[in-house]
DNA sequence: CGGTCAATGCTATGGAATATAACAATGTTT
DNA sequence: AAACATTGTTATATTCCATAGCATTGACCG
């Protein structure tokens, strides 16, 4: 996010209303408006930016939130299973899990029947934290819903996004 | 409050007695399917992944493609103008422009009336390269169009994405 | 005119996400 | 028993993105 005050070049006084040589008007951006990937990226960045802002004081990142959600719905699963479901490489998943464990939100118990694997479980604090996060996220989704113009639009968008997977 | 959620991996019904040991059920992912940001990200990653694959032999990245498009539609603009329009920091834009210039696709001419600024122009090779890229991208958009199920769906998706900006 | 501030392009740098390689321990298969 | 696969892990490289600061140049103001 750019917080800089992007100052426009100061325009010279132009009382006559004539066109100035250095007048800089808006750029033509039609070529990008037809690119699905570009629009997808802009929208995703916008939504993620809001997420980061909303969850800044909770110090929760999008990936971490999805990890907590998935463990809550699938307690006892191995790291690789959760990571695969989220499209995260298990090597990178280690750091994620360790960070959440360091904050006391999850445990890595010994998996029954496989001494290599860690069975992931939320702790009590993890469940409480997730509940708070869910509430916050609910508000955010509500905002997005109103931006989209209603539940019909939202579910339509989700359906269309699914077809791109 | 008590927390005794020690779930073992669920066993599926197994009347035939086969495939029990290694059987690992699919995870429950309903919690993520309702998250707009998550779905947006997955869709965007999928589309970008295809872009990278399609343009691998042309060695063209999404950001570079958008830069070429914007310069083609707005020749003579300053670096900062192009960068701002694409949401790219001017510091990071330098590397982008230099790379494209090194490949002979654009020029940084002295801007008329401002000796600080570079006026960006496509070279002949840049125009030719962009034409080839446009053709390739056209095919890709066509694929996405059929995935979405028609032009109506596509324009609806674009409209919905716009509301998230 | 001189002084102050802003803009432009640039370099350097750090953080975050992502990808691969390799390893020890363990499990599976032959 | 031997060969191979999986799991978690570390190390590392790359890419993207953000900030700070610099020299040059321009705009503004007294």
């Amino acid at each position: 996010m750019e917080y800089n005050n992007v100052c426009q070049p100061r325009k010279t006084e132009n009382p006559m209303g004539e066109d100035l040589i250095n007048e800089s008007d808006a750029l033509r951006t039609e070529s990008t408006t037809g690119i699905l990937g570009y629009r997808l990226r802009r929208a995703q960045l916008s939504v993620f930016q809001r997420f980061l802002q909303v969850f800044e004081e909770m110090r929760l990142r999008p990936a971490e939130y999805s990890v907590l959600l998935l463990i809550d719905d699938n307690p006892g699963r191995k790291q690789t299973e959760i990571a695969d479901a989220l499209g995260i490489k298990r090597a990178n998943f280690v750091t994620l899990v360790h960070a959440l464990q360091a904050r006391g939100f999850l445990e890595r118990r010994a998996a029954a029947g496989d001494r290599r694997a860690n069975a992931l479980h939320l702790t009590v604090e993890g469940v409480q934290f997730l509940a708070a996060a869910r509430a916050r996220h609910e508000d955010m989704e509500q905002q997005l819903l109103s931006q989209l113009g209603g539940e019909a639009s939202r579910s339509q968008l989700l359906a269309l996004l699914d077809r791109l997977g």
Side-chain angles (χ1 to χ4, degrees), chain A:
Chain A
M1 183 71 80
E2 194 165 82
Y3 294 109
N4 296 351
N5 261 347
V6 180
C7 299
Q8 300 292 350
R10 303 180 191 179
K11 298 185 180 179
T12 44
E13 204 65 28
N14 190 17
M16 317 300 265
E18 24 182 325
D19 279 356
L20 295 178
I21 303 179
N22 274 343
E23 179 99 20
S24 126
D25 34 19
L27 274 70
R28 308 185 55 180
T29 57
E30 320 93 53
S31 42
T32 60
T33 56
I35 303 181
L36 189 51
Y38 181 79
R39 306 277 287 277
L40 267 174
R41 175 113 177 103
R42 298 301 288 249
Q44 181 254 314
L45 277 177
S46 171
V47 172
F48 264 50
Q49 207 57 43
R50 184 178 316 187
F51 188 100
L52 292 177
Q53 181 183 344
V54 169
F55 287 95
E56 188 180 12
E57 60 175 311
M58 289 186 76
R59 294 188 312 154
L60 188 66
R61 311 202 131 264
E64 296 174 325
Y65 182 51
S66 65
V67 168
L68 292 181
L69 283 176
L70 218 57
I71 294 180
D72 187 47
D73 279 347
N74 303 275
R77 293 299 191 128
K78 295 183 287 186
Q79 288 186 192
T80 304
E81 290 181 299
I82 303 290
D84 281 351
L86 293 173
I88 304 175
K89 302 250 175 269
R90 71 185 195 280
N92 300 323
F93 195 66
V94 173
T95 313
L96 254 172
V97 165
H98 282 191
L100 292 173
Q101 186 185 27
R103 295 173 68 182
F105 295 157
L106 57 84
E107 291 174 352
R108 292 180 298 154
R109 304 182 190 165
D114 194 335
R115 279 184 294 177
R116 299 168 301 178
N118 296 330
L120 298 181
H121 294 268
L122 291 190
T123 63
V124 182
E125 298 87 18
V127 171
Q128 291 172 349
F129 182 81
L130 181 56
R134 272 197 162 106
R136 235 170 238 244
H137 179 249
E138 199 67 34
D139 295 343
M140 185 182 140
E141 289 284 336
Q142 203 61 33
Q143 282 185 11
L144 295 175
L145 179 64
S146 70
Q147 274 188 49
L148 289 174
E151 184 51 45
S153 296
R154 182 175 183 274
S155 45
Q156 170 114 32
L157 174 57
L158 290 177
L160 290 172
L161 291 177
D162 255 2
R163 301 187 197 171
L164 295 176

